Amino acid sequence: MKNLKIKNRFTAELPADPELTNEVRQVKDALFSFVNPTKPSSPELIHASLETAQMVGITADEIQTKEFVNVFSGNEILEGTRPFAMCYAGHQFGNWAGQLGDGRAINLTEVENDNEFFTLQLKGAGKTPYSRTADGLAVLRSSVREYLCAEAMHHLGVPTTRSLSLILSGDQVLRDILYNGNPAYEKGAVVCRVAPSFIRFGSFEMLTARNELKNLKNFVEFTIRHYFPEITGEPKEQYLQFFKTVADKTREMILHWQRVGFVHGVMNTDNMSIHGITIDYGPYGWLENYDPDWTPNTTDSQNRRYRYGNQPQVAQWNLFQLANALYPLINEAAPLEKILDDFMINFEEEYKIMFLSKLGIFTSSEADDKIIKGLEEILQLSETDMTIFFRNLSQIQKTDSADLAIKKIEYAFYLPEEIRDKTLDAWQKWFSVYLKKLNSELLSDEERAIKMNAINPRYVLRNYMAQLAIDAADKNDYSLIDELFQLLKNPYDEQPESQKWFAKRPDWARTKVGCSMLSCSS
Ligand code: AMP
Ligand code: MG
């Protein structure tokens, strides 16, 4: 990979842990530890993303080489690089968790390509000082999910880390999927993922919690200098601007999550990127029947802290933790509070515009609030598939009757026999108001449909789809991984040959592990 331009800004400019073992420990006064990936016994490339490769400076031919498999499985270390694990802390499920760190992530290096910087990071390449009680490994199941979803999110237009490669390690990994005392061996895998950096809210929280204020100042300045060079001015002004930029980017990301029905599942502050990109794909899921209270994460089934409808509030709460972490540099609460308040005010405004655009309403007025609230309510009267509902909505024409409109979206109903009496009434009423609204819009039916279909995806990585790809991959058949990878490159296109993926969750997936039930075990 001769064109990879190695840059090691993080390790060159920030304090390192002087210890070089991978023994689990508290790492003070340092932002990272140098580590070596664990060598896999027989690495085998399952899939690679050509687009991500080219983005960082790797060619199509290079993907096919032994060197590629070796480097991105941790078997071989690229010349001029020194892998490292980052030290960070975080709030998990609302509670302070202290030091966490890259327990099974190992940054290989930063690279520069076309004046952009990228960090290449392995997930599942073995123990680090931050592995706590775990093994630093990842199973094929969770690696397929992360690999496919990150790329799918990118093509949906949602800010995210990218996936470079998915490699089988050849080793067995022991996991208790449901944490119920039934551990079993699964195939191990390593994903290489790419982001501008893997700095998290928790990276700053750690320094403040330990009162390492000099490191905090250096680290914030490092981050601004390299990743937010547009921020200039007096130091205090810069820190505030940095916080505001992170808040803005986070808001934009959450808005996209809500638009496509993505539920992250583990929005702990150590899983929040300062770049406002989706990071750490674990027990995530997609809303199938529209239910704001839904979370795919069984570990969170009691409190549902990270349910779909709560994601904006959680993002604000997480930003509040970041504000606390930055506070010692700013020493003034009011401007931080203002940014936090504005986060929700702006979010609500933008959410309304986004939701209306999903409905094909591009000129808003007061009455539109009712259309939104009304729809959010009836979508829950009887299980209604979010993706199918919004996608098929673009077929409705201004001259349709309410009954014809209902016919056009009825494929979204999981239990069509429930659409009668009061529920049918509610739909008819809502569609009458909606059709009236459409008639006051300037766009023609065709123009509106085009705009709506660029916002409402036809294909998302439903959990059952990922699970089918996992089940096949377990039997050494990787064709479905590639099929879904290709399908999800164009999630807004009709792709008539892929009609079978424009379907509601099948009944068998309703209660199956990996489909409706996911845990943090990965
Ligand atoms: P997560 O919930 O995946 O974001 O993980 C929370 C923390 O646990 C992070 O510090 C991870 O690096 C660590 N962790 C998760 N799984 C493992 C594992 N298999 N081995 C070591 N550390 C892990
Ligand atoms: Mg994490």
Side-chain angles (χ1 to χ4, degrees), residues 88 200 270-271 280:
Y88 52 77
R200 301 134 190 272
D270 53 302
N271 290 338
D280 275 4

Side-chain angles (χ1 to χ4, degrees), residues 410-427:
E410 75 181 354
Y411 181 49
F413 296 132
Y414 278 86
L415 301 161
E417 67 278 11
E418 279 187 10
I419 312 302
R420 56 182 161 82
D421 308 333
K422 273 193 188 146
T423 304
L424 180 60
D425 239 30
W427 274 116

Side-chain angles (χ1 to χ4, degrees), residues 88 92 100-101 123 193 200 266 268 270-272 279-280:
Y88 52 77
Q92 298 186 312
L100 296 165
K123 192 165 172 182
R193 56 185 187 175
R200 301 134 190 272
V266 204
N268 294 334
D270 53 302
N271 290 338
M272 297 292 289
I279 184 176
D280 275 4

Side-chain angles (χ1 to χ4, degrees), residues 312-366:
Q313 283 72 19
V314 170
Q316 189 194 36
W317 192 90
N318 289 345
L319 282 161
F320 178 56
Q321 306 313 318
L322 178 61
N324 280 337
L326 298 175
Y327 178 78
L329 300 182
I330 296 168
N331 284 310
E332 241 189 298
L336 290 165
E337 281 165 3
K338 168 95 172 64
I339 294 168
L340 286 168
D341 289 344
D342 285 349
F343 173 89
M344 204 46 89
I345 295 168
N346 292 334
F347 180 84
E348 277 165 10
E349 261 173 40
E350 291 166 2
Y351 178 82
K352 183 175 155 182
I353 295 169
M354 179 276 288
F355 200 99
L356 287 171
S357 68
K358 283 179 79 66
L359 295 175
I361 299 171
F362 298 100
T363 53
S364 65
S365 73
E366 278 309 294

Side-chain angles (χ1 to χ4, degrees), residues 234-265:
E234 291 298 307
K236 211 160 135 175
E237 209 24 65
Q238 285 196 25
Y239 308 147
L240 273 173
Q241 199 53 41
F242 167 60
F243 181 60
K244 182 173 181 313
T245 308
V246 176
D248 286 345
K249 286 176 183 282
T250 303
R251 197 180 75 237
E252 202 179 306
M253 171 185 80
I254 303 286
L255 204 64
H256 281 292
W257 288 3
Q258 304 308 96
R259 172 175 65 86
V260 299
F262 176 79
V263 188
H264 182 284

Side-chain angles (χ1 to χ4, degrees), residues 92 100-104 131-132 134-137 175 270-271 280:
Q92 298 186 312
L100 296 165
D102 286 334
R104 53 140 165 213
S131 296
R132 297 184 291 161
D135 55 12
L137 303 174
R175 286 290 181 271
D270 53 302
N271 290 338
D280 275 4

